[in-house]
Amino acid sequence: MIGWIIDITVFDATRNQNLNPDTDITFTFPVLIFASLANVVVGLIVGTLEVVYLEKRFSNRTLSAKFFYKFLIYLSLFLTVIVILYPVAFTLETGTSLLEIDTWQQLYRFLISISFLITLFHLSVKLMVSLIYSAISENLGHQVLLNFFSGKYHQPKIEKRIFMFLDMKSSTTIAETLGHIRYFKLLDTYYNIMSDPIINSFGEVYQYIGDEIVISWKPGKGTNQANCIKCFFDIQDHLNEQKEVLFHEFGFEIGFKAGIHFGEVTIGEIGALKKEIVFTGDVLNTTARIQSLCKELESDLLISGAIKELLPHTNYQYFSQGEIELKGRNKKEELFSVTLEKKPTITYNM
C-alpha cells in the first residue's frame, strides 16, 4: 500500500519528466501500471513468507532479533526483485529488448547511482513500517489493532457476540507437577496448536486467562457452517495429532472442556495508562458458568439454547441436559452437550 501511494505521488509529480535519464526510469503510465502490479506481487510474496514461514521460524527469538533477521531477509528479497524488474521497466519505457547491452548498462548505472540509494531508503522505511505493524498486530491481535486505528470502539457500542470459554482439564495438577517454567512452555505450545482452528473458523481471541482462552465470533461468522462448534472439534483433532509429542515432552495427555453462549455485550476502549478493547455483559459471566458445568454434566462441550437456535443443521448431535439454574442468575438456561454425529455402520448380508 505504501509503495503504491509513493508510485502514484511520483507519477503525479514528475508528469513524464525525467531529471536523471541516465539512471532513472521515466514514470509513464505503462510503467506505473507495471510498478503497481509489482507492488501487489511483492506484497503477496512478503505476506506469505511472513505468515507461513518466517513468523514460525523466528517465534523463539526476541523481538529485536526477529526484527533484525526479517529485515535482512526481506531487504535481500527486495534487492533481488529490483535487479529482475528494473530491466523489464526499462524495456517498457524505451521499447528496447532485454537482450540488448544498453538494458544491462542502464541497470549497472542505476545500481551505482544516488537514485538507487534513495530507492533503498524508501524500501527500508516501507519494510520497517510493515514489520512494526506485524509485531504490534501479533501482540494485540490483527482485528483489535484495526479497531484501534479505525476508532470503531472509541465510543462504547452494543453488539451481539458468540463466546466460547475453553479451559484445560486438570490444569492445577499439571501446573504443580511441571513447575512454573515448564507449565508456561506447555501453555505456549497448547495455545499455538489452537491457532489454526481459530483462524479457520473466523474466531477472534479475546483473552488468555491462565490456562483458559476466550474466543469470540460475530454471529454471522460463528454460526455459518456452525464455525463456533467446528472450532472446538478442530482444536480437539489438532491436540490429538500432537498427543504423543505433548506426552513425550510434558508427561501429560492434554484435554479441555468448553462452554458456548450467545448474547449482547458492550464493547469499548477502556483504560488510562494502557488502552484495551473490553467486552462487558451478562453473556460473558453466563458462558463462564456454562463451561464450569462441563465436569458435573460429564460433557466436554456444553452450549446454551440461545446459540443452538442459531446453528444450521450439521453433522453434530445435541443432547439436552435440561433447564439448569446457573449460579448468580434467576433465569434458567437450557443446556446441550454436543458430540460428533456417528456415521451408521453398513452391514452386508452374504
Side-chain angles (χ1 to χ4, degrees), residues 9 75 112 145 184 186 227 234 243 273 301 317:
T9 305
L75 194 60
I112 60 174
L145 185 58
F184 184 88
L186 169 61
N227 274 325
D234 283 353
K243 182 167 61 176
L273 299 178
L301 176 59
Q317 289 185 317

Side-chain angles (χ1 to χ4, degrees), residues 223-234 236-237 301 303 308 311-319 337-342:
T223 57
N224 183 36
Q225 299 181 2
N227 274 325
C228 58
I229 305 292
K230 182 177 180 292
C231 180
F232 174 89
F233 288 104
D234 283 353
Q236 202 171 62
D237 290 341
L301 176 59
I303 69 171
K308 182 182 179 297
L311 297 174
H313 178 72
T314 53
N315 59 333
Y316 302 112
Q317 289 185 317
Y318 304 96
F319 301 95
S337 58
V338 186
T339 61
L340 281 169
E341 191 174 64
K342 293 182 180 179

Side-chain angles (χ1 to χ4, degrees), residues 143-274:
Q143 191 59 49
V144 173
L145 185 58
L146 288 180
N147 289 335
F148 271 124
F149 278 138
S150 66
K152 183 177 181 179
Y153 299 116
H154 186 66
Q155 296 296 328
K157 292 186 178 181
I158 295 176
E159 291 184 4
K160 290 187 176 181
R161 288 270 182 154
I162 299 166
F163 287 95
M164 175 163 71
F165 279 59
L166 191 148
D167 189 38
M168 183 189 293
K169 292 180 179 178
S170 306
S171 58
T172 303
T173 303
I174 295 172
E176 289 176 350
T177 305
L178 294 179
H180 295 297
I181 301 298
R182 292 193 66 212
Y183 182 62
F184 184 88
K185 289 181 179 178
L186 169 61
L187 286 180
D188 186 43
T189 306
Y190 174 65
Y191 288 137
N192 282 338
I193 290 171
M194 294 182 185
S195 297
D196 285 345
I198 294 171
I199 292 169
N200 294 337
S201 66
F202 302 99
E204 301 171 22
V205 174
Y206 170 49
Q207 282 182 330
Y208 296 105
I209 311 168
D211 61 290
E212 185 174 67
I213 181 173
V214 182
I215 306 166
S216 169
W217 290 266
K218 292 182 177 179
K221 291 183 178 180
T223 57
N224 183 36
Q225 299 181 2
N227 274 325
C228 58
I229 305 292
K230 182 177 180 292
C231 180
F232 174 89
F233 288 104
D234 283 353
I235 291 173
Q236 202 171 62
D237 290 341
H238 277 64
L239 277 173
N240 285 335
E241 289 171 6
Q242 300 294 320
K243 182 167 61 176
E244 291 184 9
V245 175
L246 288 169
F247 188 82
H248 176 74
E249 187 170 353
F250 301 105
F252 287 95
E253 288 189 7
I254 307 302
F256 60 91
K257 53 190 183 296
I260 302 178
H261 186 40
F262 168 74
E264 284 189 347
V265 287
T266 302
I267 311 174
E269 293 180 20
I270 199 169
L273 299 178
K274 179 179 179 293

Side-chain angles (χ1 to χ4, degrees), residues 242-342:
Q242 300 294 320
K243 182 167 61 176
E244 291 184 9
V245 175
L246 288 169
F247 188 82
H248 176 74
E249 187 170 353
F250 301 105
F252 287 95
E253 288 189 7
I254 307 302
F256 60 91
K257 53 190 183 296
I260 302 178
H261 186 40
F262 168 74
E264 284 189 347
V265 287
T266 302
I267 311 174
E269 293 180 20
I270 199 169
L273 299 178
K274 179 179 179 293
K275 289 285 186 184
E276 281 190 40
I277 293 177
V278 174
F279 298 178
T280 62
D282 181 62
V283 60
L284 290 157
N285 297 327
T286 303
T287 310
R289 285 163 187 147
I290 291 172
Q291 183 269 318
S292 69
L293 289 170
C294 285
K295 185 174 181 180
E296 180 183 329
L297 298 178
E298 298 181 347
S299 175
D300 287 339
L301 176 59
L302 285 175
I303 69 171
S304 66
I307 184 63
K308 182 182 179 297
E309 291 177 3
L310 302 176
L311 297 174
H313 178 72
T314 53
N315 59 333
Y316 302 112
Q317 289 185 317
Y318 304 96
F319 301 95
S320 177
Q321 299 287 347
E323 291 192 344
I324 297 173
E325 187 174 325
L326 300 172
K327 185 179 178 183
R329 297 190 79 206
N330 296 323
K331 181 183 174 182
K332 289 186 177 181
E333 187 77 45
E334 186 175 11
L335 302 182
F336 295 84
S337 58
V338 186
T339 61
L340 281 169
E341 191 174 64
K342 293 182 180 179

Side-chain angles (χ1 to χ4, degrees), residues 53-64:
Y53 180 71
L54 290 183
E55 186 55 40
K56 294 178 181 178
R57 176 67 179 80
F58 296 115
S59 60
N60 294 324
R61 301 278 186 175
T62 63
L63 182 61
S64 56

Side-chain angles (χ1 to χ4, degrees), residues 15-171:
R15 301 289 182 178
N16 289 342
Q17 296 180 359
N18 192 339
L19 300 178
N20 299 298
D22 290 339
T23 58
D24 295 358
I25 302 292
T26 304
F27 250 85
T28 60
F29 189 71
V31 171
L32 174 65
I33 297 297
F34 176 74
S36 298
L37 290 173
N39 271 319
V40 172
V41 172
V42 172
L44 288 172
I45 291 172
V46 170
T48 303
L49 282 173
E50 177 70 16
V51 174
V52 175
Y53 180 71
L54 290 183
E55 186 55 40
K56 294 178 181 178
R57 176 67 179 80
F58 296 115
S59 60
N60 294 324
R61 301 278 186 175
T62 63
L63 182 61
S64 56
K66 190 187 298 186
F67 189 95
F68 176 74
Y69 288 125
K70 285 184 180 181
F71 183 84
L72 290 181
I73 291 170
Y74 288 137
L75 194 60
S76 300
L77 173 64
F78 289 158
L79 291 174
T80 303
V81 169
I82 288 172
V83 171
I84 294 172
L85 296 185
Y86 183 91
V88 178
F90 180 72
T91 60
L92 285 174
E93 179 199 0
T94 61
T96 58
S97 168
L98 280 173
L99 300 178
E100 292 184 21
I101 191 67
D102 287 347
T103 302
W104 300 101
Q105 287 177 341
Q106 178 77 1
L107 173 62
Y108 173 74
R109 287 194 294 270
F110 172 70
L111 292 176
I112 60 174
S113 69
I114 188 67
S115 296
F116 174 66
L117 293 178
I118 293 172
T119 301
L120 206 59
F121 174 76
H122 285 164
L123 286 173
S124 298
V125 171
K126 288 186 283 186
L127 183 55
M128 283 190 287
V129 170
S130 299
L131 289 175
I132 290 169
Y133 177 90
S134 176
I136 297 173
S137 178
E138 180 188 354
N139 284 276
L140 287 180
H142 178 66
Q143 191 59 49
V144 173
L145 185 58
L146 288 180
N147 289 335
F148 271 124
F149 278 138
S150 66
K152 183 177 181 179
Y153 299 116
H154 186 66
Q155 296 296 328
K157 292 186 178 181
I158 295 176
E159 291 184 4
K160 290 187 176 181
R161 288 270 182 154
I162 299 166
F163 287 95
M164 175 163 71
F165 279 59
L166 191 148
D167 189 38
M168 183 189 293
K169 292 180 179 178
S170 306
S171 58

